[in-house]
Amino acid sequence: MKPVNFDVEPQCERSKLAVATTLIIVGIAASISVTGCQTSGATRLSQTGGDGPSALVSKPVAEGIPSAKGTATDGTRTAVEVRTVAFNQVQPEDSEQPAPLEPPSPVVSAPEVILSESELSEPAEIIDGGLSPASTEYPIDLMTAMRLAGANHLQIALATERIREACAQLQQAEVMWVPNLNLGIGYNRHDGPIQDTSGNVIDVSRQSLYFGGGAGISGAPLTGASGGPARLFVDLSTADVYFEPLAARQNVAGAQHARHVAQNDNVLQVGLAYQELVRAQLQVDVAQEAIGNAEELVDLTKNFEDAGKGLAADTQRARAELEQRRHQLAGARERVAVSSAELVRLLRLDQATQLTAVDPQPLPVELIATDTPIESLVTQGLSRRPELAVHQARVAETMTRIKQEQWRPWLPHLHLGYAGGGFGGGRNSDLQNFGVRGDFDALAIWQVQNFGLGNRARQNERSSQHRQAHLQYEWIRDQVIAEVTQAWSRARYRKEQIEFAEQQVAAATDALPLNLKGIRDGVIRPIEAQQAIAGLAAARSLYLASVVDFNRAQLELIRALGEPPQDAM
């Protein structure tokens, strides 16, 4: 199936209208050309294959693990490399800062959106879409997962369709002034008293027939049959003609920014789900190492028991430890399956797919330096978050609505129309005397609703909507500041937790061989190694959790700043 591309954002372009009107006896011909919305481009998906993740810790007990202050295989200390990706720099105090975010004034023009005939996939294709790999096991890395996140996600598709809907509403607002083209036939018959133009009441039996067409700026019927002159009805408001396109453009801009919000949120969800898959897979490796150590402890205690130097109770305790570790391994494998299924759901892949993270070991990925001043990050978040842009557009739209109601009593309502066709009739059942008939109506009407009280009520309504939009904007602004601060704090302190966890792993790694040596030298009982085995497994699990949680905090911080996480890597 051809992949659906949601990476290219629909844009709007003001409709180019060519209206050629030729008045003839039987009507008017109008030619209107209006274009539609499309999404162009092709999605390029990068899928990286590779070997499955290597064991987090698959070394013998006497060996160490890589850590910032851990023990290498030769007994020397080595440092864990922290991969830092340049994303932002601390801004100097004299550098140009973004202007404070203020509720914008109404925007007269929004980003243009190119509208043309599109070849969109059917909704069923979008819903049923998804990758169906030939193999049920599919290796994936973080960058590939985040690229796939925006390729076929329903929330992004929904946001894209809302842009198209806003574009269509903008088109409709821009062509309000274009005449409607009408064509039809009308029949009228009257029997009984009627008043003539001089005021006399006469008894008349007559009928008439009209056929023709014309163009008019109104919803009223064109003059025909035996109808009289046009009445003073209100139809096309010039206030709406001017202000509706302005408000519609703000609606388009808000829908475009809302799509960015959906894309950022979805990519973050996928990134966090991938980190959980990494956590689950590497926890399996930790459990497997603990099982190997527990099996060695069982053999050791059994040998001491057989030699008469140990207790049977110690052997049974060692076997209980082994079974507990096997239970933990089964739970870790369960979490791998569940995490893979959740990532498959978010990426909308075939449900039979089993995803495997290719990360061989837990590696801290520092996308944003944790020593970056929080003031600089807050400034970036306030200037980049699309949620704020959505509400800015809403504030501008409501301000346009206020001006629209303020000008409404001062701008006229229009009714313009011309109709031409054949008309004939006669007394009783006679239909004759056919000839050509033409009628032109032009009305300009100023309306004060309910002696002005109705206009005032509508202005108050629009003012309240504007204040609501302003309050929502301020609420989102406070939320952005809180999200940036919270994500920065999590990343900062979780980095410290990694350092402490590294030291704990190093100490636990050194402790287990010393316990085994003490057992062989007869200094301590064999069962004393049980605590060392449990301590090493707990230290490795804590280190793994610290690294994964740090990477999650980095992704959350990127999203809090208003950037898609994949753009920062």
Side-chain angles (χ1 to χ4, degrees):
M1 183 192 71
K2 181 180 177 181
V4 181
N5 178 28
F6 297 126
D7 290 338
V8 180
E9 178 178 311
Q11 298 180 339
C12 288
E13 177 187 57
R14 298 192 60 180
S15 306
K16 297 181 180 179
L17 304 173
V19 180
T21 308
T22 305
L23 297 179
I24 57 176
I25 296 178
V26 292
I28 178 172
S31 173
I32 304 174
S33 105
V34 181
T35 56
C37 283
Q38 84 166 355
T39 303
S40 61
T43 302
R44 294 185 173 90
L45 304 180
S46 173
Q47 301 175 355
T48 305
D51 299 332
S54 61
L56 168 64
V57 181
S58 57
K59 304 175 183 177
V61 261
E63 294 184 353
I65 65 166
S67 64
K69 298 181 180 179
T71 305
T73 55
D74 58 358
T76 60
R77 299 292 182 181
T78 155
V80 167
E81 176 186 0
V82 177
R83 181 175 52 187
T84 302
V85 181
F87 174 70
N88 65 327
Q89 300 292 337
V90 179
Q91 298 181 356
E93 294 183 359
D94 57 349
S95 62
E96 183 179 355
Q97 298 291 337
L101 289 176
E102 295 292 339
S105 58
V107 178
V108 176
S109 62
E112 290 190 351
V113 180
I114 301 174
L115 306 169
S116 60
E117 294 299 327
S118 60
E119 297 178 357
L120 298 177
S121 300
E122 295 296 329
E125 290 187 291
I126 298 177
I127 295 174
D128 296 335
L131 298 177
S132 293
S135 173
T136 57
E137 187 171 345
Y138 188 81
I140 191 170
D141 59 14
L142 180 58
M143 283 301 299
T144 300
M146 289 193 295
R147 289 193 187 101
L148 287 171
N152 206 23
H153 196 270
L154 295 182
Q155 290 298 326
I156 299 178
L158 179 61
T160 302
E161 289 304 322
R162 285 172 178 162
I163 296 177
R164 293 191 175 100
E165 178 184 8
C167 290
Q169 292 172 350
L170 173 59
Q171 287 181 332
Q172 186 177 10
E174 289 181 330
V175 299
M176 291 177 63
W177 59 273
V178 178
N180 300 320
L181 184 61
N182 303 292
L183 183 66
I185 185 171
Y187 172 79
N188 175 267
R189 179 177 179 86
H190 176 80
D191 294 292
I194 192 172
Q195 190 175 30
D196 61 16
T197 56
S198 61
N200 299 320
V201 176
I202 57 177
D203 188 58
V204 176
S205 178
R206 63 171 174 81
Q207 63 178 348
S208 62
L209 179 66
Y210 172 83
F211 56 90
I217 305 178
S218 74
L222 297 174
T223 302
S226 59
R231 304 299 192 269
L232 290 179
F233 59 88
V234 176
D235 198 338
L236 180 64
S237 170
T238 53
D240 293 341
V241 169
Y242 180 78
F243 287 103
E244 284 295 332
L246 301 183
R249 292 189 190 104
Q250 296 296 343
N251 190 28
V252 171
Q256 291 172 337
H257 292 301
R259 182 185 182 276
H260 294 159
V261 174
Q263 185 174 14
N264 289 355
D265 290 347
N266 180 57
V267 172
L268 174 63
Q269 276 187 308
V270 170
L272 297 181
Y274 179 84
Q275 293 298 327
E276 290 305 311
L277 179 60
V278 171
R279 186 201 303 267
Q281 287 186 181
L282 297 182
Q283 193 63 50
V284 169
D285 297 333
V286 173
Q288 288 174 339
E289 184 208 28
I291 288 176
N293 293 336
E295 289 174 343
E296 184 177 352
L297 179 61
V298 170
D299 294 339
L300 193 60
T301 55
K302 184 69 168 98
N303 292 336
F304 270 72
E305 179 187 353
D306 294 341
K309 298 181 180 181
L311 301 176
D314 291 347
T315 303
Q316 293 304 111
R317 287 175 60 186
R319 288 174 177 170
E321 175 72 17
L322 176 60
E323 296 307 319
Q324 180 183 0
R325 298 300 167 185
R326 288 172 175 169
H327 178 274
Q328 292 176 352
L329 176 61
R333 287 172 174 167
E334 173 194 346
R335 289 188 290 273
V336 169
V338 172
S339 299
S340 173
E342 175 64 10
L343 187 56
V344 166
R345 181 190 70 84
L346 292 174
L347 297 179
R348 302 194 66 243
L349 304 178
D350 189 281
Q351 293 301 316
T353 303
Q354 176 69 38
L355 295 177
T356 302
V358 299
D359 296 62
Q361 61 180 342
L363 181 64
V365 180
E366 189 171 15
L367 303 175
I368 297 180
T370 54
D371 57 355
T372 304
I374 185 59
E375 296 80 7
S376 175
L377 296 179
V378 168
T379 301
Q380 292 183 42
L382 292 178
S383 63
R384 296 178 180 178
R385 282 291 288 270
E387 291 91 338
L388 287 173
V390 170
H391 287 275
Q392 283 178 328
R394 175 59 180 164
V395 170
E397 179 187 356
T398 54
M399 178 59 72
T400 302
R401 298 294 186 186
I402 291 177
K403 293 185 177 181
Q404 180 181 14
E405 297 306 324
Q406 290 173 343
W407 279 97
R408 188 177 297 277
W410 306 99
L411 297 177
H413 296 257
L414 300 179
H415 168 66
L416 298 174
Y418 175 83
F423 178 78
R427 296 180 178 179
N428 297 322
S429 300
D430 292 338
L431 282 176
Q432 55 186 347
N433 301 320
F434 278 93
V436 176
R437 171 175 174 170
D439 296 274
F440 176 76
D441 297 316
L443 300 174
I445 305 166
W446 283 260
Q447 183 186 55
V448 179
Q449 297 176 343
N450 309 113
F451 284 94
L453 299 177
N455 294 103
R456 172 58 62 184
R458 296 188 64 173
Q459 292 172 13
N460 292 339
E461 178 186 7
R462 297 303 189 186
S463 296
S464 176
Q465 293 173 352
H466 177 69
R467 289 190 295 271
Q468 292 176 46
H470 203 303
L471 293 172
Q472 290 174 349
Y473 169 83
E474 292 296 333
W475 185 81
I476 292 296
R477 187 176 185 274
D478 292 343
Q479 184 179 3
V480 168
I481 295 174
E483 289 179 356
V484 172
T485 304
Q486 293 168 3
W488 175 78
S489 299
R490 283 192 291 266
R492 178 184 178 186
Y493 290 106
R494 286 175 182 177
K495 185 177 181 180
E496 294 182 6
Q497 294 172 21
I498 292 176
E499 298 176 358
F500 298 139
E502 287 170 348
Q503 297 176 20
Q504 182 179 352
V505 170
T509 304
D510 294 340
L512 182 57
L514 293 176
N515 275 264
L516 296 177
K517 184 177 183 301
I519 294 172
R520 295 186 180 96
D521 294 343
V523 178
I524 60 176
R525 294 168 53 190
I527 197 59
E528 298 295 333
Q530 180 182 8
Q531 185 175 0
I533 293 173
L536 178 59
R540 296 204 192 283
S541 297
L542 182 62
Y543 174 75
L544 172 60
S546 300
V547 172
V548 172
D549 289 343
F550 173 77
N551 292 342
R552 286 172 58 94
Q554 285 285 321
L555 294 176
E556 291 170 349
L557 182 55
I558 288 292
R559 185 262 180 190
L561 295 178
E563 293 289 337
Q566 74 270 24
D567 291 350
M569 301 188 66

